[in-house]
């Protein structure tokens, strides 16, 4: 297994019609500030942060997961935590539609292993801990497509 590979929950939950290509995504400013600060702090130790993107119908919530990777500059989500977060989202009628993670020394662009380690047609939010940029991507057919999002 690659360290950037996540242990994935059931794929059909990430492929629903609620996250259509033309949809405008929103993310709370305070969540982005927290993600950026956490990514920068962890990058000092060579650690990436990671988690799930949860759609509540109005904006994307960021739900942190423990990074269980032992390698610097990589991440691997804890499957038990991912499944627990997914069950909680389902009980609240929310939907997990993607993942997020940080890059300690690279731009906020998905690498080959990032793309290979996620479900097709899912979203991926990446924060660049060096330059503090954050970008949203749709992963489809083995390629990453940049998406815009609104900060609320």
């Amino acid at each position: 297994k690659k360290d950037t590979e996540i242990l994935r929950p059931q794929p059909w939950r990430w492929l629903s019609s609620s996250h259509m290509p033309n949809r405008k995504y929103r993310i709370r400013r305070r969540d982005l500030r927290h993600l950026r600060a956490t990514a920068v702090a962890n990058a000092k130790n060579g650690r990436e942060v990671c988690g799930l993107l949860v759609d509540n119908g109005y904006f994307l919530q960021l739900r942190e997961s423990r990074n269980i990777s032992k390698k610097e500059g990589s991440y691997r989500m804890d499957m038990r935590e991912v499944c627990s977060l997914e069950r909680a989202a389902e009980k609240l009628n929310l939907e997990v539609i993607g993942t997020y993670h940080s890059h300690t020394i690279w731009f906020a662009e998905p690498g080959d292993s990032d793309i290979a380690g996620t479900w097709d047609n899912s979203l991926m939010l990446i924060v660049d801990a060096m330059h503090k940029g954050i970008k949203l991507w749709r992963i489809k057919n083995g390629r990453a497509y940049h998406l815009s999002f609104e900060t609320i």
Side-chain angles (χ1 to χ4, degrees), residues 37-105:
T38 304
V40 169
N42 279 271
K44 292 175 185 173
N45 298 318
R47 303 285 299 159
E48 291 190 4
V49 297
C50 56
L52 299 177
L53 297 175
V54 179
D55 186 2
N56 68 13
Y58 181 66
F59 61 87
L60 299 180
Q61 299 176 350
L62 281 56
R63 295 293 174 235
E64 192 170 349
S65 177
R66 205 164 34 100
N67 179 356
I68 61 172
S69 175
K70 304 285 187 227
K71 289 176 62 176
E72 286 188 11
S74 68
Y75 77 96
R76 196 165 116 218
M77 292 185 200
D78 181 338
M79 182 57 176
R80 289 175 298 210
E81 230 175 13
V82 168
C83 288
S84 176
L85 288 168
E86 190 174 55
R87 281 192 305 274
E90 188 176 317
K91 284 181 181 180
L92 296 169
N93 291 320
L94 306 176
E95 185 179 14
V96 175
I97 62 171
T99 62
Y100 73 84
H101 69 278
S102 61
H103 284 171
T104 57
I105 56 171

Side-chain angles (χ1 to χ4, degrees), residues 101-103 105-111 114 124-137 146:
H101 69 278
S102 61
H103 284 171
I105 56 171
W106 190 247
F107 300 107
E109 300 172 3
D114 293 332
M124 183 178 289
L125 186 71
I126 302 175
V127 59
D128 166 3
M130 286 181 61
H131 302 101
K132 301 180 183 127
I134 299 177
K135 291 184 180 178
L136 182 64
W137 304 87
H146 184 256

